[in-house]
Amino acid sequence: MFDFDGLLMDTESTQLESWQYEWRQHGLELDVATFFADHGGDVSELRYATLASAVGAGYDRVSSHARRVAYRDSLNAVLQFRPGIQAWLDAASGFRLAVASSSPASWVLPLLEQSGYRSRFEVVACGDEVSAHKPDPAVYYLALERLGIVASEAMAFEDTPHGVAAAKAAGLRCVAIPNPHTDASLLGAADRVLGSAEEMTLAEVISQ
C-alpha cells in the first residue's frame, strides 16, 4: 500500500513552490519552517488565512487562489514518479497494489491517470472517503477492507511521520522513504527507512 503525496509523486514540493510563488506576488516570503502540517488532509484554508493576514486589507482571496492553483497545476503537469518508484511498479507483477492517501480522490486520481499507472493499483482509498486523516489509520483500514486482506498480509510505504504512525496503528509493516521536506530522523517508528526507492528492489524490500 502506497501513500501518494510525497511518496509516489513529490507533490509536496510543487505545493510548497506554488505557495512561495503566491507569497512573492505580494512581495513577501513564506515561512517554510511552519509550512508542512503534522497530519494528512487539506490545510489550504489555514494557509490562505495566514497569507491574508500578512497582506492586509487589499488581499483578494479569489484571484490569489486562481493564480496559485494555475501555477501549481503547471508544475504538476510534468511531474513524474519519485526516483525508483516506476521501476518498483514495473516489477510488481504478482503483487496487489493499493494507494492509501489522506488527499481526496479528485486530487489523487487525475495524477495517477497522468502517470499512466492507474490500472496497476487495484484499490485507491482516499481521505474524502474516511472520517479522519493520517495519523488516524482509517484510510488504511478502508484499503485493507477493499483488498479483502488483513494487515499481516500487507506492507505500507510512507514518507512522513504521521503517515508512518497511521500505517503502524493499522497493524502494517511500514517502509519509509522521506520526501525532500521530511527529516529522516523522525521516521524511527518505521520498520525500515530508505533514502529512495532506488536503494532496493521492491522484491528485496518485501522479502526482508
Side-chain angles (χ1 to χ4, degrees):
M1 296 186 191
F2 293 86
D3 176 49
F4 183 76
D5 294 296
L7 189 284
L8 290 181
M9 287 184 166
D10 187 16
T11 52
E12 302 289 7
S13 289
T14 58
Q15 286 278 29
L16 173 59
E17 289 175 37
S18 76
W19 283 98
Q20 288 177 311
Y21 170 82
E22 184 53 31
W23 276 67
R24 288 167 184 162
Q25 303 311 300
H26 305 279
L28 301 169
E29 282 296 324
L30 173 68
D31 181 3
V32 177
T34 61
F35 180 77
F36 292 101
D38 60 358
H39 57 83
D42 189 1
V43 293
S44 294
E45 289 310 314
L46 176 60
R47 289 172 176 164
Y48 281 119
T50 301
L51 177 56
S53 178
V55 173
Y59 180 69
D60 182 340
R61 164 72 167 76
V62 173
S63 62
S64 177
H65 172 72
R67 182 169 52 232
R68 185 192 70 80
V69 168
Y71 184 70
R72 180 203 67 196
D73 289 350
S74 72
L75 297 176
N76 285 345
V78 295
L79 202 58
Q80 303 294 319
F81 285 130
R82 289 188 64 199
I85 293 294
Q86 184 170 328
W88 276 14
L89 299 179
D90 287 341
S93 177
F95 295 117
R96 300 174 69 194
L97 305 183
V99 169
S101 172
S102 283
S103 294
S106 60
W107 171 261
V108 174
L109 293 177
L111 287 169
L112 275 182
E113 292 288 354
Q114 173 182 305
S115 75
Y117 281 75
R118 168 65 184 91
S119 63
R120 301 299 297 274
F121 294 94
E122 181 178 341
V123 163
V124 178
C126 295
D128 54 342
E129 301 179 286
V130 293
S131 59
H133 295 136
K134 300 172 185 176
D136 190 284
V139 75
Y140 276 116
Y141 289 144
L142 177 61
L144 287 167
E145 178 184 345
R146 288 178 173 173
L147 287 168
I149 61 175
V150 296
S152 62
E153 299 175 302
M155 176 180 286
F157 296 90
E158 283 284 355
D159 65 302
T160 61
H162 58 267
V164 172
K168 298 304 291 183
L172 294 157
R173 284 196 298 156
C174 183
V175 174
I177 305 175
N179 70 58
H181 311 286
T182 296
D183 182 349
S185 69
L186 301 178
L187 298 171
D191 297 285
R192 177 185 290 274
V193 179
L194 300 177
S196 83
E198 294 179 310
E199 290 185 10
M200 301 177 71
T201 67
L202 182 61
E204 288 171 338
V205 172
I206 291 175
S207 66
Q208 294 186 7

